[in-house]
């Protein structure tokens, strides 16, 4: 095997290793067993899946900012708690039906991996769920509750973009981080608001929807 082929092989192993580890952990969680047998079978299944059902390699960013990653984790846990309480209050209120909408969110810095990060984060926070993702336009479509006015739509929209900025700071590629810093420097939107690490109060997601009226059920929106 030539030196170049060996380099390509080791590079592929290095890029696929986090995915293999995740598949093994997922397999062990599925069976509820953390034993040597489940580890061995997990390795076999992970290798089989990645070899037989091959997909294009997703390159990791190669960048992790521990400070922003810690802030992201704290903000995410707080958003889950606040989102759970918000959904409970809306569902248990017999005098007011919560509005709902399908919200389109064009992301600003996303590649495939970043788009996945934002989609998973938004879906795990109670009150919002990704129902569709448009890879070509980097747009996420989310079903959200608690939307009763245009102001609510704008708040939900900024919620998703805020999570995108947080994830870029913690895990984004150097190019994505430089683009975010450039937007912050130029004062684009309100990307400056979290430069000091402050946590936003709204953890749920949204982009732009015309008219999600109170008590009328879902209305489909379109991103601006």
């Amino acid at each position: 095997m030539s030196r170049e082929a060996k380099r390509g092989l080791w590079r592929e192993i290095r890029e696929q290793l986090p995915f293999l580890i995740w598949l093994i952990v997922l397999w062990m969680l599925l069976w509820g067993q953390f034993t040597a047998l489940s580890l061995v079978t997990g390795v076999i299944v992970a290798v089989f899946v990645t070899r037989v059902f091959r997909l294009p390699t997703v390159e990791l960013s190669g960048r992790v900012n521990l400070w922003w990653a810690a802030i992201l984790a704290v903000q995410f846990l707080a958003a889950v708690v606040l989102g759970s309480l918000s959904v409970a209050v809306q569902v248990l209120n017999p005098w007011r039906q919560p509005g709902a909408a399908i919200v389109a969110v064009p992301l600003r810095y996303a590649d495939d991996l970043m788009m996945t990060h934002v989609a998973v984060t938004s879906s795990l926070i109670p009150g919002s769920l990704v129902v569709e993702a448009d890879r070509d336009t980097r747009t996420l479509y989310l079903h959200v509750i608690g939307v009763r006015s245009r102001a609510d739509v704008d708040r939900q929209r900024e919620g998703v973009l805020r999570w995108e900025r947080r994830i870029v700071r913690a895990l984004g590629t150097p190019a994505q981080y430089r683009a975010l810093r450039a937007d912050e420097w130029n004062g684009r939107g309100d990307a400056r608001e979290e430069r000091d690490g402050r946590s936003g109060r709204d953890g749920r997601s949204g982009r732009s929807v015309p008219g999600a009226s109170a008590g009328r059920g879902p209305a489909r929106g379109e991103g601006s």
Side-chain angles (χ1 to χ4, degrees), residues 77-88:
L77 292 175
V80 169
V81 173
L82 294 177
S84 300
L85 294 175
S86 176
V87 170

Side-chain angles (χ1 to χ4, degrees), residues 91-135:
V91 171
L92 296 177
N93 188 344
W95 297 282
R96 190 175 185 181
Q97 181 179 357
I102 299 296
V103 179
V105 188
L107 302 179
R108 293 174 178 170
Y109 311 101
D111 54 13
D112 287 348
L113 187 60
M114 184 58 58
M115 190 174 183
T116 302
H117 285 323
V118 177
V120 171
T121 300
S122 300
S123 293
L124 289 176
I125 297 172
S128 62
L129 179 67
V130 173
V131 295
E132 185 179 346
D134 189 331
R135 185 182 181 190

